[in-house]
Amino acid sequence: MRTCTLQPLAARQGRILSRAAAAVRPGGVLVYAVCSVEPEEGEGVLRAFLEAHPAFEVVDPGACLPAAATRHVGADLALRTSPAG
């Protein structure tokens, strides 16, 4: 049985995010979205990115969402959805 660690995946996601950041115009928006629920691939990648790119900040996505979707925005301002609703 082959085991998979999340570290290589998180590192790859971090590189992709950093490269995408280079293409964002001043005042632009960069959305980091993953289908994983693993903190290493979500919050961990975002935390490392923000430390390395202090010009970026997390903003409340609620203003861009339909009212019904705002219930999925957590205290950390992350939008988390689930097929379960």
Side-chain angles (χ1 to χ4, degrees):
M1 181 173 158
R2 184 176 165 199
T3 60
C4 177
T5 63
L6 296 177
Q7 179 55 35
L9 300 173
R12 178 182 296 163
Q13 290 167 329
R15 289 190 303 273
I16 293 168
L17 187 56
S18 290
R19 289 182 183 138
V24 177
R25 293 181 179 166
V29 175
L30 176 61
V31 175
Y32 179 59
V34 295
C35 60
S36 174
V37 297
E38 300 298 332
E40 296 88 346
E41 293 183 280
E43 297 92 328
V45 171
L46 180 58
R47 186 174 30 261
F49 172 80
L50 293 171
E51 288 174 6
H53 300 85
F56 286 84
E57 64 181 341
V58 176
V59 297
D60 187 348
C64 300
L65 298 172
T70 60
R71 69 184 176 93
H72 297 289
V73 177
D76 61 355
L77 300 180
L79 172 67
R80 291 184 179 86
T81 60
S82 163

